[in-house]
Amino acid sequence: MLEFKVIQELKPSNEILEIIKSYTYITKNGKVKHLLKTNLQFIEPTEYIITYPTTLTILEYKVNEISNKPFYIKEHNEKYNLKEIKQILIKLSN
Amino acid sequence: MSNRCALYVRVSTDDQRDNGYSIDSQLRMIKEYCEKNDYLIVDVYNDAGHSGKDLMRPEMQRLLKDIKSKKIDKLVAIKVDRLTRNNYDGFWLLNYCEEHDVKIELILEPYDVSTANGEMIFGMNLVFGQRERKEIGARTKRAMEEMALSKIHPSKAPYGYIRNQETGHLEIEPIEAQVVKEIFELCKKRHSTRNIASIMIDNNSYLKQGKWRSDRVYKILTNSIYIGVFEYGKYKRKPQNVLRVNNYCEPIIDEQTWNVTRANLEKNKHSNYGEHIHLFTSIVKCPDCGGILSSTNSFKNSGTEKEKVYYHLTCKNSNCKSKGLHYSSDKIEQKLGRILNELTRYMYDTDNEIIVCNSTKTKEIKDIDNAIKKLKQQEKKLVDLYLSSTLNVEVINHKNEVIKKEIDKLNQKKNKLDPDDDFKDYTVELLKKLDCDYQDDNNILFKNKLGFSFLWDSLNRKTKKELIQRLIASLEITRDKNYNIEIKNIKFTDEFISKSNKEYLNYLNEILNNNEIGIKYKEQVNKPELEKLEQDYFIFSTKKYENNKYSEADLLLYMELIKQHFYHDGIINCPYIEDNNIVDNLLLIPKTIIKI
């Protein structure tokens, strides 16, 4: 069995939480896990699961320099940057 | 927008030579520009000696971090090719800066990148930058070839020659040339390269640096420079692209000797060379001394059965206490196969996660690094104490010496534990590519519920070795009193780390398709195609089998054939269609006869 050790918890972004505060949602912390006995670390994304006014699952990858689009919306199958994700979330309330 | 600006300068040696934009001149120009525009210089990022082919430059990485942490508002460089010479990276950088509200200003290319026109010119300049990089490479290649054709040696002189400082031509070095002649004479007498190396050591033959070893002797014996023919690009280019220059220099040996030695080198090759494939060449570390274990094999003949080969790994370090002990390759293979199986399954199931490479520095190394850092601080303090005249010179000197000795000791210990420390630091920067839009349309391996362990079991040794060498950089093992081998640590290669989950699974599928043994998967076949295939293959129909159309004897025969061909040349699985509907699933077994 692969053994992991969680070395960091990745909390949801306050900026996003501020925008979606009036929506129905749950969040799930992301994690940085070290695969023991190897030189690998796995990054589990932070999840924002919005259920009202629409159903949207947003994943946030908190990693530097890998991509300038750290957000991914499962339903859209697309990657976004912070500006774009903010716009999408603001649009939801309109 | 405020005016906190970052200065980025870069030069690779070629640029400096061709364009004259040295680091100093770049800095001077940018500083003048900043003063004129009343910009506040926050930091200077200097990537001297780094190529612009990618963004993996230390100072560029620091700059990206600082952009993200909002330390700067403007990024100033003289030209776009200082930032990058790669199209993709350039646009990425532009987006990245835009996103973090950082404006790029290029002194010698005065356009506003935030406008549509500016972005277009920026893009065009990037294209030119990329072209220039390629041209520099081509130019260097051409220049080197020209040098070779003019018989000016483009690199270090090979053993037996010296390079004339003025003309650049190769001239014979009499003492070394004599040794070269001896080596060829010994090869002529059919001595092996290892044997020749030992003779050279016994004779104390002249060597400027290094030791006489079998590979050094082999390199001399295969270098055509000794018959006056220079082969430029021999190791890097395809054979047809190698540039051969005849009469390049005065030969040391005659052509007849050269031809005889070619034949002898061929004859001296081990009869089993290439037949026994060692999976873990240069990968597994000795549990005691940390040195790389060497591969060996032994054979067992039992009556009429085929000779069985046992693969081992053994430590050849004469100072190691486990010298001579054998570690079974098969046991390591089993354990590694299990780990890779779980890891692949995990990567398949959790495609939304990404992998980063962990720092490979061990805790012990990190502790040594910290201790050295502390000692260096103490060393600095001593200078302060001397300047403030708190301590006398003798005491300071004594203490200084003690500290230096301690640092040397720690450095030695560190080198012993981690000889390729510099390389390891670099790997920390590598990240696995994010690949969210994962689709498994072409995924034969998992779509057919086969999994990694199936692939692993059905690979031939050659392919398995290739897979291991591409995925694993090093393996640390342990062995207990009962000779049980466990894997203590695996270091995955940069190639594995930089592959996304999708790319990795595609790679496995590719191996499955190209594998010479096991099951190969073929697209659906229709009746005429099947008739053609019947000439070369026995056809086993799943439909007939389910309807009990095969006799027991037929079934036994098919099973025996499948077993034989599975591990020899592979069998083929394909659906059979009639009127565009899949009506059967076939197994194609080659009609070739296997010699056992």
Side-chain angles (χ1 to χ4, degrees), chain B residues 569-582:
Chain B
D569 48 3
I571 52 173
I572 296 170
N573 176 232
C574 64
Y576 174 65
I577 53 161
E578 269 174 15
D579 303 326
N580 285 332
N581 290 323
I582 297 175

Side-chain angles (χ1 to χ4, degrees), chain A residues 33 37 39 41 43 61 66, chain B residues 346 352 354 356 358 490:
Chain A
K33 303 180 291 185
K37 298 180 182 176
N39 60 339
Q41 282 182 5
I43 298 183
Y61 291 89
I66 185 166
Chain B
Y346 179 80
N352 278 326
I354 63 161
V356 298
N358 191 10
I490 306 175

Side-chain angles (χ1 to χ4, degrees), chain A residues 1-2 4 33-35 37-45 59 61 63-66 68 72 74 77 79 81 83, chain B residues 64 68 92 95-96 98-99 342-343 346 352-358 360 431-432 434 436-437 488-492:
Chain A
M1 272 296 284
L2 299 178
F4 292 95
K33 303 180 291 185
H34 176 209
L35 177 58
K37 298 180 182 176
T38 69
N39 60 339
L40 302 178
Q41 282 182 5
F42 286 80
I43 298 183
E44 219 174 85
L59 306 177
Y61 291 89
V63 275
N64 295 333
E65 280 85 54
I66 185 166
N68 56 347
Y72 170 68
K74 268 190 177 177
N77 208 5
K79 287 183 245 178
N81 62 29
K83 271 184 191 170
Chain B
L64 294 174
K68 196 169 186 187
W92 184 88
N95 270 337
Y96 188 82
E98 250 177 33
E99 200 183 304
E342 285 177 26
L343 184 64
Y346 179 80
N352 278 326
E353 292 186 14
I354 63 161
I355 297 174
V356 298
C357 183
N358 191 10
T360 43
L431 291 165
K432 200 168 185 76
L434 183 57
C436 294
D437 47 349
K488 192 176 141 198
N489 203 3
I490 306 175
K491 188 185 161 198
F492 287 88

Side-chain angles (χ1 to χ4, degrees), chain B residues 176-204:
Chain B
E176 290 181 2
Q178 192 51 42
V179 180
V180 171
K181 277 181 190 165
E182 278 172 31
I183 289 172
F184 275 90
E185 278 309 314
L186 287 166
C187 183
K188 225 171 156 182
K189 291 174 189 163
R190 292 208 60 184
H191 284 272
S192 68
T193 50
R194 190 176 290 183
N195 203 350
I196 297 172
S198 337
I199 294 170
M200 291 295 117
I201 294 168
D202 292 343
N203 292 352
N204 206 8

Side-chain angles (χ1 to χ4, degrees), chain A residues 13-27 48-50 52-53 89-90 92-93:
Chain A
S13 146
N14 286 334
E15 275 181 276
I16 301 281
L17 292 180
E18 184 60 30
I19 301 171
I20 59 172
K21 66 182 175 190
S22 58
Y23 307 163
T24 313
Y25 69 92
I26 49 166
T27 60
Y48 306 84
I49 304 160
I50 301 169
Y52 180 80
L89 290 172
I90 291 166
L92 286 182
S93 59

Side-chain angles (χ1 to χ4, degrees), chain B residues 341-585:
Chain B
N341 180 32
E342 285 177 26
L343 184 64
T344 310
R345 187 74 231 178
Y346 179 80
M347 284 170 71
Y348 178 72
D349 290 339
T350 53
D351 55 85
N352 278 326
E353 292 186 14
I354 63 161
I355 297 174
V356 298
C357 183
N358 191 10
S359 167
T360 43
K361 280 190 175 181
T362 59
K363 195 181 169 293
E364 214 171 339
I365 301 277
K366 278 180 189 166
D367 289 346
I368 293 174
D369 274 343
N370 286 337
I372 291 174
K373 210 174 162 187
K374 275 183 189 166
L375 284 169
K376 281 190 176 166
Q377 278 171 353
Q378 280 183 24
E379 212 178 358
K380 244 183 181 179
K381 273 183 192 167
L382 277 178
V383 178
D384 292 342
L385 288 171
Y386 171 70
L387 290 173
S388 61
S389 314
T390 321
L391 287 176
N392 66 40
V393 184
E394 277 175 9
V395 178
I396 286 177
N397 278 345
H398 173 70
K399 287 205 168 184
N400 206 7
E401 247 182 64
V402 173
I403 290 173
K404 268 188 181 158
K405 271 184 188 168
E406 194 61 30
I407 291 177
D408 278 350
K409 231 172 156 183
L410 287 168
N411 272 330
Q412 273 175 13
K413 199 176 166 188
K414 194 178 144 187
N415 282 341
K416 214 173 168 186
L417 282 167
D418 194 12
D420 55 347
D421 184 38
D422 289 340
F423 168 71
K424 285 182 177 178
D425 255 347
Y426 176 72
T427 61
V428 183
E429 300 295 330
L430 289 167
L431 291 165
K432 200 168 185 76
K433 279 182 216 156
L434 183 57
D435 208 346
C436 294
D437 47 349
Y438 177 77
Q439 286 164 347
D440 62 349
D441 292 348
N442 303 317
N443 191 344
I444 296 168
L445 196 62
F446 285 92
K447 215 162 78 177
N448 289 293
K449 297 194 171 70
L450 300 172
F452 182 87
S453 48
F454 169 82
L455 171 75
W456 186 257
D457 289 340
S458 63
L459 289 180
N460 60 30
R461 280 188 82 79
K462 194 179 154 206
T463 321
K464 207 180 262 185
K465 178 177 180 168
E466 204 184 293
L467 178 90
I468 292 172
Q469 300 282 341
R470 284 182 75 168
L471 302 185
I472 314 288
S474 70
L475 271 178
E476 286 174 38
I477 55 166
T478 54
R479 188 172 70 170
D480 63 16
K481 285 174 191 168
N482 301 324
Y483 298 97
N484 291 321
I485 292 173
E486 288 296 334
I487 292 176
K488 192 176 141 198
N489 203 3
I490 306 175
K491 188 185 161 198
F492 287 88
T493 57
D494 295 351
E495 189 189 344
F496 173 78
I497 290 157
S498 55
K499 266 192 174 116
S500 68
N501 286 7
K502 188 179 167 184
E503 283 170 324
Y504 171 63
L505 294 171
N506 281 345
Y507 167 62
L508 295 184
N509 276 304
E510 223 171 83
I511 293 176
L512 184 73
N513 285 329
N514 299 337
N515 188 25
E516 286 162 12
I517 63 166
I519 299 182
K520 284 172 251 183
Y521 291 85
K522 197 175 156 42
E523 280 180 24
Q524 52 206 26
V525 290
N526 53 24
K527 202 173 177 186
E529 283 168 339
L530 185 63
E531 277 167 6
K532 267 188 199 169
L533 285 168
E534 269 174 336
Q535 292 170 8
D536 301 324
Y537 296 93
F538 296 113
I539 313 291
F540 180 82
S541 150
T542 320
K543 198 177 166 187
K544 273 190 187 174
Y545 169 69
E546 281 166 359
N547 294 332
N548 295 324
K549 295 278 168 75
Y550 289 117
S551 68
E552 208 158 294
D554 282 346
L555 272 179
L556 277 174
L557 181 69
Y558 275 121
M559 287 308 125
E560 189 53 38
L561 283 171
I562 288 172
K563 242 195 255 172
Q564 281 175 15
H565 286 274
F566 188 88
Y567 287 107
H568 188 265
D569 48 3
I571 52 173
I572 296 170
N573 176 232
C574 64
Y576 174 65
I577 53 161
E578 269 174 15
D579 303 326
N580 285 332
N581 290 323
I582 297 175
V583 290
D584 199 358
N585 191 12

Side-chain angles (χ1 to χ4, degrees), chain B residues 239-257:
Chain B
Q240 65 267 29
N241 296 335
V242 173
L243 176 71
R244 282 175 66 90
V245 187
N246 292 328
N247 302 323
Y248 185 77
C249 56
E250 196 186 331
I252 293 178
I253 55 150
D254 56 82
E255 286 217 22
Q256 199 201 345
T257 312

